[in-house]
Amino acid sequence: MTAHAELAHYRKTLPPAPTTSTTHIDRPRPGDGRHLWRLARDSRTLDLNSAYSYLLWCRDFAGTSAVARDSSGRAVGFVSGYLRPDSPGTLLVWQIAVDESVRGLGIAGALLDGLSARVAAEHGLNFLETTISPGNLASERLFASYAARHGATLTREVLFTAEEFPDRGYAPEVLHRIGPLHF
């Protein structure tokens, strides 16, 4: 079977969007931008970008991002990402946040799994990358768990030193690279 035929077969057999008992994972829409901004703000750990940037992200990067909605349709989590221009088989996860009211239910893992399966089916996916500040143990556990679930290697190296940031008070950003991935 050719690679193109394998991908077409995979797309036909792709399971429905992942859900937890009370959530559904799908693509963000521009109107979700304000909710993603709120989730990022309320996380108290993410760098908060402008509200405008979240609106644009939901429009321009919806194909490489995902939102978790509760049974009423309210956004309770999101993951934003993009395919690296110089490495199109690599999905860089920019931000991930889950509303405090639903933390601990596996939503962050479901967001990562659903997004990576969708990106793999639509574009091909070999590696997943993210950066994590030292001491962010919840994110370190989330991505280590993702690597284990997918039988992939996790490597770490400093991507940006504290001195590379324009403002003081930033810790180095450690690149977590997971792969190769096989979908």
Side-chain angles (χ1 to χ4, degrees), residues 31-78:
D32 291 323
R34 68 179 181 269
H35 304 296
L36 275 55
W37 180 87
R38 176 191 52 82
L39 288 164
R41 180 199 64 200
D42 292 351
S43 76
R44 296 181 301 277
T45 58
L46 295 175
D47 283 339
L48 186 61
N49 299 299
S50 72
Y52 180 67
S53 69
Y54 290 93
L55 292 168
L56 283 174
W57 200 278
C58 289
R59 184 192 78 166
D60 294 342
F61 295 101
T64 54
S65 299
V67 64
R69 300 180 197 286
D70 66 13
S71 58
S72 71
R74 180 178 71 102
V76 295
F78 78 92

Side-chain angles (χ1 to χ4, degrees), residues 7 10-11 14 17-18 25-28 61-67 79 111-125 183:
L7 183 57
Y10 177 77
R11 285 182 178 154
L14 192 63
I25 310 294
D26 66 3
R27 292 175 192 259
F61 295 101
T64 54
S65 299
V67 64
V79 58
L111 280 162
L112 286 176
D113 289 342
L115 176 60
S116 58
R118 178 167 34 94
V119 169
E122 294 175 2
H123 304 282
L125 183 62
F183 288 89

Side-chain angles (χ1 to χ4, degrees), residues 2-175:
T2 67
H4 181 68
E6 285 180 27
L7 183 57
H9 173 73
Y10 177 77
R11 285 182 178 154
K12 287 180 195 170
T13 61
L14 192 63
T19 61
T20 66
S21 60
T22 59
T23 62
H24 175 75
I25 310 294
D26 66 3
R27 292 175 192 259
R29 299 179 294 266
D32 291 323
R34 68 179 181 269
H35 304 296
L36 275 55
W37 180 87
R38 176 191 52 82
L39 288 164
R41 180 199 64 200
D42 292 351
S43 76
R44 296 181 301 277
T45 58
L46 295 175
D47 283 339
L48 186 61
N49 299 299
S50 72
Y52 180 67
S53 69
Y54 290 93
L55 292 168
L56 283 174
W57 200 278
C58 289
R59 184 192 78 166
D60 294 342
F61 295 101
T64 54
S65 299
V67 64
R69 300 180 197 286
D70 66 13
S71 58
S72 71
R74 180 178 71 102
V76 295
F78 78 92
V79 58
S80 59
Y82 62 88
L83 290 172
R84 291 193 41 217
D86 64 340
S87 181
T90 300
L91 175 67
L92 183 112
V93 171
W94 179 265
Q95 290 187 318
I96 186 165
V98 175
D99 188 270
E100 190 172 24
S101 68
V102 293
R103 287 188 190 144
L105 300 177
I107 292 171
L111 280 162
L112 286 176
D113 289 342
L115 176 60
S116 58
R118 178 167 34 94
V119 169
E122 294 175 2
H123 304 282
L125 183 62
N126 302 313
F127 291 91
L128 185 136
E129 293 181 344
T130 194
T131 61
I132 302 173
S133 299
N136 186 340
L137 299 178
S139 289
E140 289 177 2
R141 283 192 300 268
L142 172 66
F143 286 93
S145 175
Y146 175 90
R149 277 193 313 279
H150 292 275
T153 302
L154 169 62
T155 60
R156 297 173 186 91
E157 66 180 78
V158 173
L159 181 63
F160 299 117
T161 65
E163 295 76 29
E164 291 178 277
F165 288 95
D167 297 337
R168 292 182 186 216
Y170 276 91
E173 284 289 325
V174 178
L175 177 69

